[in-house]
Amino acid sequence: MLANLSSGVKQYLIITGNYWAFTLTDGALRMLVVLYFHQLGYAPLQIALLFLFYEFFGVVTNLVGGWLGARLGLNRTMNIGLGLQIIALGMLLVPADWLTVIWVMAAQALSGIAKDLNKMSAKSAIKTLVPGDAQGKLYHWVAILTGSKNALKGLGFFVGALLLTWLGFAGAVLAMAIMLTLVWISSLILLKEEMGRMAAKPKFTDVFSKSRPINVLSLARFFLFAARDVWFVVALPVYLSQTLGWSHWLVGGFMASWVIAYGIVQTQAPRLTGKARGRIPGRGATAGWGLALVFTPLYILLGLQLGWSADWVLVLGLMAFGLLFAVNSSVHSFLIVSHARSDGVSLDVGFYYMANALGRLAGTLLSGYVFQVYGLAACLTISAVFILLAALIALALPRPEQQSFSN
């Protein structure tokens, strides 16, 4: 079956497989760090600070990584990312006394660089394989890639909690490092064809987008992901564990199930937004789905304030939030790839995911600080405000609201 595929498609499948393997370890590592350091008595803000460099260097990496991808090729940026993640995991295998906040932040910095090199490479590669007039196909494949990645990240949450329970922190990290090393060696052997490399070497200043749609989408993406992470990254798992008394296994399993379901919904976003009618989402649909999402954190906030069962309020609220956020994220992911330039796609995609990383950074810091000082209700309020801003910003996208596409 693989023999009938073109060389470019084979290489893209290898990149996707690498991305999936990396995503699994990334999700597992995040859950490991949150639960393990909460178990050691770290405060929510301290836990958030562990991810500070992870998110900060994600901002830097998306800018520099897009430029490197255009100059060196996406195969090389992918392999560099895999290698850096192995080093980051190795840094966490030191004796427990060495696992200070600064040391873990440094390891997370490498992990953040690695993750965004991988994501930028995978998302950019698909643009090089789909004809410019086949926007329906592009939407379909971007949705599958984005959804499958998030489903695997959710599985990573589950794996992280499971490994922490069975093997302890050091054993879990070692198992992931061995698995990823095998993937990295395979990638070095198999991933050879250059994808996304520009014929003319781009200047570093080219990383800053001059396209209005790219800039509008980037700003909307910043608020969209800050709205998710302001309560999802630190506040939610700590609240479930500390306030509701959920076990590590239950917290990891629940959040894993949520992210897996969220990823599955993302793969179906084209159906939910009108693919069957031959339409792709434009500014009206993007803003509309954003406005629908605003009501989910408000529902959770209302239920908690009225004293309803916190367990059920959070479970049902997260189901609604996950469904609507998945569609929003998938629509945004399609639009950025669609609007990105064909020659040097990694530059536009890198700039966009720089804004994505900046939103996660802001959301992560706010999640730790606001939850520690004001509680979960304040995190949910900020989330609703940020979602509203993302939806209103999407109205600045160019017309027409919807465009016909080729399947």
Side-chain angles (χ1 to χ4, degrees):
M1 184 175 178
L2 289 175
N4 296 325
L5 298 176
S6 68
S7 177
V9 173
K10 289 179 184 177
Q11 292 297 295
Y12 179 70
L13 290 176
I14 296 169
I15 284 181
T16 302
N18 289 346
Y19 187 38
W20 286 349
F22 181 95
T23 299
L24 187 65
T25 64
D26 185 57
L29 182 58
R30 177 169 286 261
M31 186 56 60
L32 274 173
V33 170
V34 170
L35 294 179
Y36 179 68
F37 286 92
H38 173 61
Q39 178 181 302
L40 293 180
Y42 281 55
L45 181 57
Q46 289 178 301
I47 296 174
L49 288 175
L50 296 177
F51 296 102
L52 174 63
F53 282 176
Y54 176 92
E55 302 296 358
F56 173 77
F57 280 97
V59 176
V60 176
T61 302
N62 277 297
L63 281 176
V64 177
W67 176 71
L68 286 175
R71 291 179 69 90
L72 303 178
L74 300 173
N75 56 323
R76 293 185 177 91
T77 53
M78 171 66 74
N79 286 330
I80 291 171
L82 287 169
L84 289 176
Q85 181 74 340
I86 294 168
I87 295 173
L89 290 168
M91 289 179 66
L92 298 176
L93 290 173
V94 298
D97 292 343
W98 292 19
L99 292 175
T100 62
V101 171
I102 297 299
W103 183 262
V104 177
M105 287 173 69
Q108 287 294 300
L110 278 181
S111 183
I113 294 171
K115 186 262 295 182
D116 282 295
L117 281 175
N118 274 263
K119 179 165 69 174
M120 180 278 300
S121 300
K123 291 288 181 74
S124 299
I126 197 169
K127 177 79 172 184
T128 68
L129 299 174
V130 178
D133 59 350
Q135 293 297 292
K137 184 178 293 185
L138 180 65
Y139 188 18
H140 176 72
W141 284 109
V142 168
I144 289 178
L145 177 65
T146 304
S148 61
K149 181 268 292 185
N150 284 307
L152 282 168
K153 187 170 184 176
L155 181 60
F157 287 167
F158 177 79
V159 169
L162 179 64
L163 290 177
L164 181 61
T165 302
W166 283 0
L167 303 177
F169 184 77
V173 172
L174 179 60
M176 290 191 296
I178 292 172
M179 184 273 286
L180 203 60
T181 298
L182 295 175
V183 173
W184 181 58
I185 292 172
S186 299
S187 180
L188 289 173
I189 296 171
L190 299 174
L191 193 59
K192 297 178 180 179
E193 183 169 321
E194 293 183 352
M195 303 175 70
R197 185 176 180 180
M198 292 182 67
K201 300 292 186 183
K203 300 177 181 178
F204 183 74
T205 52
D206 291 336
V207 301
F208 299 102
S209 177
K210 301 176 180 65
S211 165
R212 182 168 177 262
I214 299 296
N215 290 329
V216 169
L217 283 167
S218 298
L219 185 58
R221 187 75 170 195
F222 168 84
F223 284 108
L224 183 66
F225 273 75
R228 183 196 67 179
D229 287 0
V230 71
W231 67 288
F232 191 79
V233 171
V234 176
L236 180 62
V238 173
Y239 182 85
L240 294 175
S241 177
Q242 179 177 285
T243 305
L244 300 186
W246 288 23
S247 66
H248 290 169
W249 171 267
L250 189 57
V251 172
F254 172 68
M255 296 189 70
S257 300
W258 183 86
V259 178
I260 291 170
Y262 159 79
I264 292 172
V265 172
Q266 280 188 309
T267 66
Q268 300 304 309
R271 295 177 182 271
L272 297 173
T273 56
K275 181 177 183 292
R277 297 189 298 275
R279 298 286 183 178
I280 58 173
R283 71 176 191 175
T286 307
W289 283 101
L291 291 173
L293 180 63
V294 172
F295 294 99
T296 52
L298 294 178
Y299 155 76
I300 298 173
L301 177 62
L302 177 63
L304 295 177
Q305 294 297 314
L306 293 177
W308 298 347
S309 170
D311 297 81
W312 281 107
V313 167
L314 285 168
V315 169
L316 295 176
L318 274 166
M319 288 174 61
F321 184 89
L323 189 154
L324 293 170
F325 190 89
V327 176
N328 274 274
S329 177
S330 194
V331 167
H332 278 238
S333 295
F334 158 68
L335 288 174
I336 184 61
V337 177
S338 177
H339 283 291
R341 71 193 97 171
S342 296
D343 186 23
V345 56
S346 64
L347 293 171
D348 286 338
V349 173
F351 180 80
Y352 174 75
Y353 281 106
M354 176 275 295
N356 186 99
L358 197 59
R360 292 199 315 268
L361 172 61
T364 297
L365 291 176
L366 286 171
S367 185
Y369 174 76
V370 174
F371 178 71
Q372 182 171 318
V373 178
Y374 301 105
L376 184 62
C379 294
L380 291 165
T381 302
I382 294 172
S383 176
V385 172
F386 282 179
I387 295 168
L388 179 61
L389 287 172
L392 294 177
I393 290 167
L395 291 174
L397 287 169
R399 292 179 182 276
E401 179 177 316
Q402 291 185 318
Q403 302 170 351
S404 296
F405 66 74
S406 168
N407 288 299

